Structures are given as structure tokens and as C-alpha cells.
Amino acid sequence: MSKIKPSKGAPYARILGVGGYRPTRVVPNEVILETIDSSDEWIRSRSGIATRHWASPEETVAAMSVEASGKAIADAGISPAQIGAVVVSTVSHFHQTPAIATEIADRIGAGKPAAFDISAGCAGFGYGLTLAKGMIVEGSAEYVLVIGVERLSDLTDLEDRATAFLFGDGAGAVIVGPSDEPHIGPTVWGSEGDKSETIKQTVPWNDFRVGDVSQLPLNERGEIKFPAITQEGQAVFRWAVFEMAKVAQQALDAAGISADDLDVFIPHQANMRIIDSMVKTLKLPEHVTVARDVETTGNTSAASIPLAMERLLATGKAKSGDTALVIGFGAGLVYAATVVTLP
């Protein structure tokens, strides 16, 4: 018989507060058209994107995260000192170590919480939310700060006609805490590594070591290009539309509800056509509010779901207590879907 005492966590967990930060610079499609041969009409028809936010040098991954976290903490009505863990999902923090979560925890005055980064691309918020739920139920933390943050403008090839218009910057954060009722459903998550080449970084960082750089990509001026995100657009589109709709339905089934029970649908803000196709495939009723934040924010990867959630609540399009289906999917290929009660 084990001598280890059982954990004493909360019976359930829920999202208690949400916050977001969008950089001050708004970038319309006209700016993107300065470096690619395209049109505003083509960009809007392919992606639904009209504008996106790009960070200034001062709007670092840490700075944006601190701003979003402060709003989430205030919304939850707790103090930073009560936070037992900080989980940050990002692919655009360029220091291999230490984790940016440790700096963020210090800057918000959280004391000495567990703090770590995860790399799960556009599914990162769902991964972080699932980890937070587990920590609270297990008893290793009472409150967990989950952050999705990206500066994808740093990883955008402005000469790549297929991706130059897609990406934006920003940070979204939530506080997850204890609950007497289930407000975060089972997570349906996974990966399809055989499709990892469909979304990837163009070249690895170690190709920039001193030595032979003849294989590195060059821009039109003959200069070495910084690594960027590239993707096989059609393959990703088909996978997202057909396979992720199935995952979304599995998350509804796991939560024990139907589409008719939903109030809000918050998919990863990758592309308006993908969002609209998923709505159709899932046969969502007209009363379901659908997040379409991608139009003015672009694809912010791990930040897209909490940013969209924050905007829906701030504008009154969704309200506290609403039942929402959230699903993220992207590079890996990875995915995570669950049903939550909005804070």
C-alpha cells in the first residue's frame, strides 16, 4: 500500500478572468502590398483579414504578456501573490533559456510560482488551459495564469505571397482557479506528426552558426533571410476544415452537450474561410456567437483564442456564464478542443 497522501485539490476548475493586449500599431493590407504582388481584395477573400497589429521594439513578448496578465488578474479579482503557476505558450520568444514565464512571473509580482513555457503553436492556449486545470484539481496550485503570446511579425517573410498577410502580434491571458462545478470540459487533443512539414520554420537556428551559409535563403537584395514561418496553405486548409470539425464535435460529445447547447464558438483565428467552413460543418445554430477576431487582429497563433474571448466579452457579444467551444490547431500538426464556461 502506498504511503503517499492523496492530493487535496479542488473538485473542478474554471476560467475566472481574461485579459488581452494588442500592440498600438495597426497594419492595414496596403502595407503588406508594398512587398508582395497581390491586392486587398485577394487578401480579404482568401483570409478575411483587413488589418493586424505589429509590435514595436518596446512591445516585447514579456511586456505584452505583463499587460494582458494584469487585466486577467484584475478581472479574476485575485492578487498576483495567489498565483501558483505561470504557463506561457509561445513560439516567438527567441531565448532558448530561461523560460519567459519566469520573467513574467517576477514582473507581475507573483512571488515564486512554478513558471514554464510550452511550444504547441496555435493549439498552445488549449494545452496550457488543460495543464492549468490538472494542477488545480491535483492540488499543486490554487490559481494558474495561462498566457498565449506571439510576436509573429518577427517570423514573417514579407516577400512570401502565401503568408506575408497572415500574422499579427498580441497577448491573451486567463486566470484558472478552483470551482465546485465543472466549467472546463474534457480536452480532446493530439498531434499528427506525419504532417509536420505543412507548417514549419524555414531554416533552423543552428544553420546560422559560423560556417557555410551558402544554403541559407536570400531575399531579393541578396541578403540572408531571417527564419520565418512557412506553410502549405491548401493542405493546412483541408486538414483544418475537415479534421478539426471532427475534433470540435468530439469535444462537444465529451462535455455531454450538443451544438444547440452552445452560446459561443471561439476557434483559433487562422482564417475566416476556415472558421465559416467549421460553423457549417458543425451545423451551429444561428444563436451561437462566432468569434471572427481574425478580421482585425490576424493570426496570432497561441494568443488568438484568449484575445478573441476577451474581445467578445468586452463588446458584449458574449457574456459571463456563456458556454463556449474553443479549439486551437496548427504547427505540428497539433490540436486541442474543449468546452468552457466564460468568466
Side-chain angles (χ1 to χ4, degrees), residues 7-29:
S7 300
K8 294 184 178 180
Y12 304 104
R14 71 170 298 167
I15 300 174
L16 299 173
V18 61
Y21 180 82
R22 293 172 173 80
T24 55
R25 183 188 177 192
V26 177
V27 179
N29 288 338

Side-chain angles (χ1 to χ4, degrees), residues 101-114:
T102 58
E103 178 183 342
I104 295 166
D106 179 64
R107 289 177 61 172
I108 65 173
K112 299 180 180 180

Side-chain angles (χ1 to χ4, degrees), residues 68-202:
S69 298
K71 295 176 183 177
I73 292 167
D75 192 41
I78 68 168
S79 72
Q82 293 177 272
I83 295 172
V86 177
V87 182
V88 178
S89 179
T90 185
V91 298
S92 47
H93 170 54
F94 293 150
H95 290 271
Q96 195 70 38
T97 192
I100 194 64
T102 58
E103 178 183 342
I104 295 166
D106 179 64
R107 289 177 61 172
I108 65 173
K112 299 180 180 180
F116 57 94
D117 299 350
I118 58 175
S119 177
C122 305
F125 176 74
Y127 275 48
L129 186 64
T130 303
L131 293 173
K133 174 186 173 182
M135 283 185 265
I136 291 160
V137 173
E138 187 272 338
S140 58
E142 184 176 12
Y143 298 98
V144 180
L145 171 61
V146 179
I147 303 168
V149 57
E150 301 293 2
R151 273 182 55 119
L152 294 183
S153 58
D154 292 335
L155 287 168
T156 300
D157 181 354
L158 294 178
E159 296 176 351
D160 181 358
R161 188 173 184 270
T163 61
F165 58 89
L166 286 176
F167 303 118
D169 303 336
V174 298
I175 295 292
V176 183
S179 172
D180 292 329
E181 297 179 329
H183 288 288
I184 301 176
T187 300
V188 178
W189 58 352
S191 64
E192 298 185 31
D194 60 318
K195 301 179 180 65
S196 61
E197 292 294 304
T198 55
I199 306 175
K200 63 179 182 179
Q201 183 173 306
T202 49

Side-chain angles (χ1 to χ4, degrees), residues 233-315:
Q234 287 301 314
V236 173
F237 181 87
R238 289 192 298 270
W239 175 77
V241 168
F242 297 108
E243 297 303 320
M244 291 305 98
K246 297 176 185 177
V247 171
Q249 183 60 55
Q250 290 169 13
L252 290 175
D253 295 341
I257 67 172
S258 69
D260 291 334
D261 299 314
L262 275 183
D263 300 303
V264 184
F265 179 44
I266 311 177
H268 165 48
Q269 301 294 294
N271 180 301
M272 195 75 78
R273 292 168 61 210
I274 291 175
I275 295 171
D276 290 342
S277 294
M278 291 183 71
V279 168
K280 183 177 180 180
T281 302
L282 288 168
K283 298 179 180 179
L284 296 184
E286 290 188 6
H287 75 261
V288 176
T289 298
V290 180
R292 291 187 171 88
D293 194 47
V294 66
E295 180 180 4
T296 56
T297 307
N299 180 344
T300 56
S301 189
S304 78
I305 290 175
L307 277 174
M309 182 184 296
E310 186 264 350
R311 175 163 280 174
L312 287 176
L313 290 166
T315 58

